[in-house]
Amino acid sequence: MRSSGVVWPDGQRVAVCLTWDVDGESALYSRQAERSRNQLGELHQRSYGPEVGVWKILSLLEKYELPATFYVPGYIADRYVSVVREIVERKYPVGLHGYLHESMDTLTREQEEDVIVRAKRSLSNLLGREPILYRAPSWELNRWTPDLLIKHGIISDSSLMDDEVPYALETDSGHLIEIPIQWILDDAEYWLHTRANRDKPISDPDTTLKIWEREFKGYYEHSGCYVLTLHPFISGRWVYMQTIEALIRYIRKFPRVWWTTVEEVTRYSESLLKVGQLRVKKPVPPEPTVQRR
Ligand SMILES: [Zn+2]
């Protein structure tokens, strides 16, 4: 098996990033506009995230003195100013996540750029600086997205699934540091439950915990970067908060864990790139191409 090639700082064996995407009700407006007009219920289920879930999450992070990273759509930053301000005051990095959680693969390059500019404006006001982190809504990137991100000052994306460690994605405009993610480390895949998907049963939290623990063990043994993607409107509920707390306790039993943020991992990856110790990848070509590796 190919070794990860990443040596973590201070002899740590694994990097752990807890990340929360504070989507709130944004995605419903952009993806199911008709439905959102008529269904107050689903909008309110989603507003539970910024209204209630975030505050439980901040308490949990405080209890264990853990770093974390938040991704916030511009609309949520505009609407829930005090929530985002609190996250910023607690020194958690905040990254871009669309304006209304748009499906980027349905937009033209110009439209996507407009969304990035608008979202940046909303977040910059609260951060007091321009955001440098990005996660694509639903992890959907267009072929031109990495270029656009670099053009707008973004240095890090966390949306692709081709690795378990950070790497540099080569673009015409320079390198974008990629911090990979995965569906199995995303709470929505197990616990997102709406009227529209009621035929899909809610996953047993203990089974999810077992999956996350086993996956962690693999990352630990192979020096990976374990990125958990969570949503306050989903896992802000008590049963799921207890599951996440159980995972935290499990990980804390391992001796050499770098609890960190996507921003810190990005900076560290940049330093590795400078000395030629970070893998550089090109985007997968749009047509089949034989490329010996
Ligand atoms: Zn999202």
Side-chain angles (χ1 to χ4, degrees):
M1 192 183 142
R2 182 177 63 81
S3 69
S4 76
V6 168
V7 176
W8 297 113
D10 306 322
Q12 305 289 20
R13 288 278 302 275
V14 67
V16 174
C17 297
L18 301 175
T19 70
W20 269 277
D21 298 357
V22 191
D23 293 348
E25 58 271 36
S26 60
L28 204 67
Y29 289 121
S30 63
R31 298 188 172 179
Q32 298 176 49
E34 280 306 314
R35 205 172 152 230
S36 65
R37 231 165 263 142
N38 297 322
Q39 294 196 345
L40 191 64
E42 185 52 31
L43 286 170
H44 276 241
Q45 167 165 243
R46 288 167 190 255
S47 72
Y48 173 88
E51 294 277 358
V52 180
V54 163
W55 303 99
K56 292 185 189 174
I57 290 155
L58 292 176
S59 298
L60 181 73
L61 292 171
E62 199 172 23
K63 179 175 173 185
Y64 290 93
E65 297 183 342
L66 292 175
T69 308
F70 291 82
Y71 292 92
V72 183
Y75 172 76
I76 297 299
D78 286 346
R79 184 166 150 76
Y80 298 95
V81 172
S82 61
V83 171
V84 181
R85 203 161 265 155
E86 185 68 29
I87 293 169
V88 172
E89 270 172 23
R90 294 184 188 219
K91 310 274 186 258
Y92 298 114
V94 177
L96 289 182
H97 195 49
Y99 185 80
L100 263 183
H101 209 279
E102 293 83 356
S103 299
M104 297 298 182
D105 57 344
T106 65
L107 304 186
T108 63
R109 184 182 171 116
E110 290 68 34
Q111 288 169 328
E112 184 173 359
E113 186 163 21
D114 285 347
V115 169
I116 292 172
V117 169
R118 195 172 175 203
K120 256 182 79 174
R121 204 178 298 134
S122 300
L123 277 195
S124 300
N125 290 339
L126 293 168
L127 297 182
R129 63 167 175 141
E130 299 216 328
I132 54 170
L133 307 178
Y134 182 77
R135 171 172 285 159
S138 304
W139 297 327
E140 288 162 358
L141 265 73
N142 287 306
R143 196 151 277 282
W144 55 71
T145 306
D147 265 331
L148 270 185
L149 294 176
I150 290 172
K151 180 180 167 190
H152 288 282
I154 300 297
I155 61 170
S156 158
D157 173 60
S158 181
S159 313
L160 299 177
M161 305 191 191
D162 55 326
D163 220 322
E164 296 171 357
V165 288
Y167 62 88
L169 188 68
E170 204 172 271
T171 79
D172 292 343
S173 314
H175 291 114
L176 183 67
I177 301 293
E178 178 62 37
I179 314 292
I181 44 69
Q182 229 295 320
W183 293 115
I184 53 175
L185 294 176
D186 178 348
D187 62 354
E189 299 314 299
Y190 304 100
W191 305 324
L192 174 60
H193 198 70
T194 70
R195 205 185 77 160
N197 76 350
R198 276 174 66 199
D199 51 341
K200 178 180 166 249
I202 294 171
S203 299
D204 168 25
D206 291 337
T207 303
T208 305
L209 177 61
K210 204 181 290 174
I211 293 169
W212 288 350
E213 287 177 352
R214 286 183 184 168
E215 193 67 2
F216 174 78
K217 201 157 175 288
Y219 274 71
Y220 188 83
E221 287 166 1
H222 297 279
S223 300
C225 180
Y226 184 84
V227 180
L228 200 64
T229 300
L230 304 163
H231 300 80
F233 85 92
I234 301 169
S235 55
R237 303 284 169 178
W238 292 118
V239 55
Y240 306 134
M241 291 301 296
Q242 286 164 25
T243 308
I244 293 162
E245 186 164 0
L247 178 70
I248 289 168
R249 287 169 174 274
Y250 172 81
I251 294 175
R252 277 160 63 104
K253 290 183 196 147
F254 290 74
R256 283 145 66 191
V257 175
W258 183 28
W259 292 94
T260 185
T261 64
V262 173
E263 183 165 338
E264 281 182 336
V265 172
T266 298
R267 296 292 186 199
Y268 181 68
S269 302
E270 281 185 322
S271 71
L272 291 179
L273 181 65
K274 273 195 194 116
V275 294
Q277 285 180 22
L278 190 76
R279 191 161 175 215
V280 177
K281 298 190 191 188
K282 290 184 195 312
V284 172
E287 306 290 341
T289 307
V290 177
Q291 191 182 21
R292 304 209 183 275
R293 356 178 12 165

